[in-house]
Amino acid sequence: MSSGQESVFPEYEADTSQTSKLLRKFKETPFVPIGMAGFAMVVGYGLYRLKHRGDMKMSLHLIHMRVAAQGFVVGAITCGVLYSMFRDYVVKPKE
């Protein structure tokens, strides 16, 4: 950027390391990493159960695991939106 041009988002450009940006994002939206972790847990459980699924068809097992993973992520997104609305409208920050 040139010296005569001001930054549009100075608070986002102040942090230069990726870890500080990641930590800041996790603080702003705490349910995103919860949704990602839940998705990873459902996938891990699905891979574990894939070996011991018995006589269940592979496609049926994969459909169940996909629905479970998507349900967890949608639930985490819903909780995040509700938390954000609660924080913005019920617990009003001091201005």
Side-chain angles (χ1 to χ4, degrees):
M1 296 183 85
S2 66
S3 60
Q5 195 175 28
E6 259 187 56
S7 175
V8 178
F9 301 108
E11 66 274 2
Y12 287 101
E13 294 175 1
D15 299 330
T16 56
S17 69
Q18 291 294 332
T19 55
S20 63
K21 287 181 184 179
L22 189 62
L23 289 174
R24 180 180 40 91
K25 279 300 209 183
F26 284 169
K27 287 178 184 176
E28 289 175 2
T29 55
F31 285 96
V32 171
I34 293 171
M36 291 168 47
F39 177 79
M41 288 184 345
V42 168
V43 168
Y45 177 73
L47 290 174
Y48 171 74
R49 292 294 301 164
L50 185 64
K51 188 174 182 180
H52 306 289
R53 71 180 188 272
D55 60 349
M56 183 185 290
K57 289 185 179 181
M58 172 78 92
S59 62
L60 187 60
H61 175 74
L62 292 176
I63 289 171
H64 287 169
M65 290 299 110
R66 178 185 64 91
V67 169
Q70 283 179 333
F72 197 93
V73 171
V74 168
I77 290 171
T78 303
C79 288
V81 168
L82 291 174
Y83 173 73
S84 175
M85 289 174 62
F86 176 77
R87 189 179 59 198
D88 290 344
Y89 297 111
V90 176
V91 182
K92 295 182 181 181
K94 295 179 182 177
E95 293 183 10

